[in-house]
């Protein structure tokens, strides 16, 4: 999804530390926005559907 020149990504990984580090790295640069995170595929479907991403 593009928003005002930004790419929105959704992080999906079973390890919270990996998601946190990826979030920090991606958010540090211009042009990328983290729209959400989940630890399981099932959780991601619920969260993505809820945000409309």
């Amino acid at each position: 999804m593009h928003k005002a020149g930004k790419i929105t990504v959704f992080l999906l990984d079973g390890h919270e530390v990996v998601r946190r580090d990826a979030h920090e790295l991606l958010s540090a640069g211009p042009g990328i926005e983290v729209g959400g995170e989940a630890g399981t595929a099932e959780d991601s479907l619920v969260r993505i559907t809820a945000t409309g991403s």
Side-chain angles (χ1 to χ4, degrees):
M1 170 186 273
H2 294 276
K3 238 189 240 184
K6 285 194 172 195
I7 297 171
T8 302
V9 297
F10 189 92
L11 302 176
L12 172 58
D13 194 280
H15 298 90
E16 184 178 347
V17 70
V18 172
R19 291 193 313 271
R20 183 179 61 230
D21 289 348
H23 189 151
E24 288 179 20
L25 287 171
L26 292 169
S27 297
I32 299 178
E33 173 182 42
V34 178
E37 300 178 20
T40 66
E42 183 178 8
D43 223 14
S44 70
L45 291 174
V46 172
R47 292 177 186 207
I48 291 170
T49 302
T51 62
S53 298

